[in-house]
Amino acid sequence: MEIINLEGTEDTPKILLDKGNGIFEISGRSLPEDSAEFYQPILDWIAAYGEDPNPETLFTFKLEYFNTASSKLILDVLSSLEDIDGVTIDWYFHEDDEDMEEAGEEFSELVEIPFEFKTY
Amino acid sequence: MKYIYDLHKTMLSKNLILVYEGEFTQEITKSVLAMAERNMDSMGEESSIKRKVFNVMVECLQNIVKHSDDFNPLSAKRNAAVFIIGKEDDRYVVTSGNPVDTDAKESLKKRIDDINELDKDGLKSMYKDIIKSNSLSNKGGAGLGFVDMARKSGQKLEYDFEDMGEGFHFFSLTTTILRF
């Protein structure tokens, strides 16, 4: 399966989706002008991955900041992972970033996937 | 050239650290954010406060990028939106202003009044209801910007509509982030 490897920019997150090495990560800042357009290839990739997933998928979110339009798309990403067996979310937040911790808690309440909360 | 001195004095007396008037795009948004971030860094602002101010600025700026073209009686001549950051000893004040028509005025007023009636838990459940049920608008907005600004700031959103004539109103929105 193809690897998605996007470098982060000042308004888009770093994305690494690599089935072979079992690395699934979204990190950095997410405030693109068109969040739906930015996240569509990621949603497409996850849909294809879901056809033949690894036995276990540890999906890491290590976001410094995301805007509200991105939050809707992050929920779409989580919802698409919900249908795949063996998915766990590692939700990282900076140790003094209560808002990012709370955002992760809210997402965990909206989808049926186990979340692990970690600080960096 | 006296207006330059007057503008300078106004900015000082109102404690404004950044005023931008003109065209609003994603590129301009990034530049304004970078300037404001550098300004807060150079003043040694705490990272938790910086994040909140950044958050409110993004929602405010992207609202203008998405909506300022909707109703702009002056658009043939010039862009009419404005974005301002003020800093006082105990707070940052993020303000935007742009023209809207009467329909937009009524719907904005209702949405902000509804948000201002809610406490922390009420805002949290409103946020979750909207994110679960809404799809993105044709402009790519999630309908969450105002709720998010109220949540991150922990303060009521202040607004005003100045009559511009010909069925237009200048919509000003102010969000305050306390530093302590």
Side-chain angles (χ1 to χ4, degrees):
Chain A
M1 199 176 173
E2 64 159 326
I3 295 167
I4 292 189
N5 186 358
L6 299 176
E7 281 302 313
T9 69
E10 55 189 335
D11 63 350
T12 57
K14 175 179 163 63
I15 310 272
L16 183 53
L17 301 173
D18 179 347
K19 182 188 176 189
N21 289 306
I23 302 171
F24 311 90
E25 186 172 319
I26 300 180
S27 58
R29 286 182 172 192
S30 182
L31 54 138
E33 179 163 27
D34 187 337
S35 58
E37 183 185 73
F38 179 80
Y39 281 94
Q40 193 55 52
I42 295 146
L43 292 167
D44 292 342
W45 191 94
I46 294 169
Y49 173 76
E51 299 290 317
D52 180 25
N54 295 347
E56 288 185 1
T57 306
L58 182 62
F59 204 108
T60 300
F61 286 88
K62 196 171 184 179
L63 290 162
E64 181 198 334
Y65 171 76
F66 60 86
N67 68 349
T68 55
S70 297
S71 71
K72 178 69 189 163
L73 271 300
I74 291 167
L75 180 59
D76 290 347
V77 168
L78 290 167
S79 301
S80 67
L81 291 168
E82 207 172 12
D83 302 327
I84 301 171
D85 288 334
V87 173
T88 307
I89 305 297
D90 264 357
W91 185 272
Y92 281 85
F93 57 94
H94 192 270
E95 57 187 3
D96 70 359
D97 192 352
E98 288 173 15
D99 290 327
M100 189 56 73
E101 181 180 12
E102 194 176 359
E105 284 166 4
E106 284 168 18
F107 282 125
S108 75
E109 291 159 17
L110 291 166
V111 290
E112 297 283 328
I113 309 177
F115 271 58
E116 301 257 349
F117 291 93
K118 298 180 175 177
T119 56
Y120 67 89
Chain B
M1 301 274 269
K2 182 170 179 297
Y3 75 97
I4 299 172
Y5 182 45
D6 288 342
L7 186 61
H8 174 70
K9 280 192 295 187
T10 304
M11 287 186 68
L12 284 180
S13 68
K14 301 261 186 197
N15 297 300
L16 308 183
I17 57 175
L18 193 151
V19 178
Y20 177 81
E21 208 277 344
E23 185 188 22
F24 282 80
T25 63
Q26 176 77 358
E27 291 308 309
I28 301 281
T29 295
K30 287 192 281 186
S31 304
V32 169
L33 290 168
M35 263 190 281
E37 268 195 298
R38 272 198 293 273
N39 195 315
M40 288 189 285
D41 280 339
S42 70
M43 293 186 292
E45 190 53 80
E46 266 187 51
S47 59
S48 61
I49 302 299
K50 262 188 342 199
R51 271 196 296 271
K52 283 183 191 294
V53 175
F54 187 86
N55 204 301
V56 169
M57 287 193 299
V58 171
E59 295 303 326
C60 207
L61 288 162
Q62 291 192 325
N63 266 344
I64 306 175
V65 172
K66 289 193 167 73
H67 298 293
S68 67
D69 293 343
D70 295 5
F71 319 104
N72 192 340
L74 308 171
S75 61
K77 290 178 232 158
R78 58 191 296 227
N79 280 292
V82 63
F83 178 80
I84 302 167
I85 304 170
K87 177 176 181 277
E88 293 165 35
D89 289 344
D90 62 341
R91 68 191 61 201
Y92 286 93
V93 182
V94 178
T95 298
S96 62
N98 59 285
V100 298
D101 68 10
T102 303
D103 286 349
K105 174 188 167 179
E106 294 311 320
S107 83
L108 284 166
K109 194 171 176 326
K110 181 171 185 322
R111 280 173 59 199
I112 300 171
D113 286 344
D114 287 349
I115 286 167
N116 279 343
E117 275 179 27
L118 299 173
D119 62 6
K120 198 169 181 286
D121 289 340
L123 289 169
K124 181 187 167 104
S125 55
M126 181 187 249
Y127 186 93
K128 285 173 80 172
D129 286 345
I130 295 173
I131 200 173
K132 266 190 295 189
S133 55
N134 285 23
S135 52
L136 293 182
S137 73
N138 57 359
K139 291 187 179 288
L144 291 164
F146 292 148
V147 192
D148 193 57
M149 287 157 75
R151 291 188 76 191
K152 297 285 158 57
S153 68
Q155 304 294 315
K156 302 294 178 199
L157 304 177
E158 295 170 53
Y159 66 84
D160 183 47
F161 293 93
E162 285 287 329
D163 190 9
M164 300 170 78
E166 296 174 26
F168 287 94
H169 313 271
F170 197 75
F171 168 48
S172 307
L173 177 69
T174 292
T175 308
T176 299
I177 298 105
L178 296 177
R179 295 180 64 209
F180 307 109

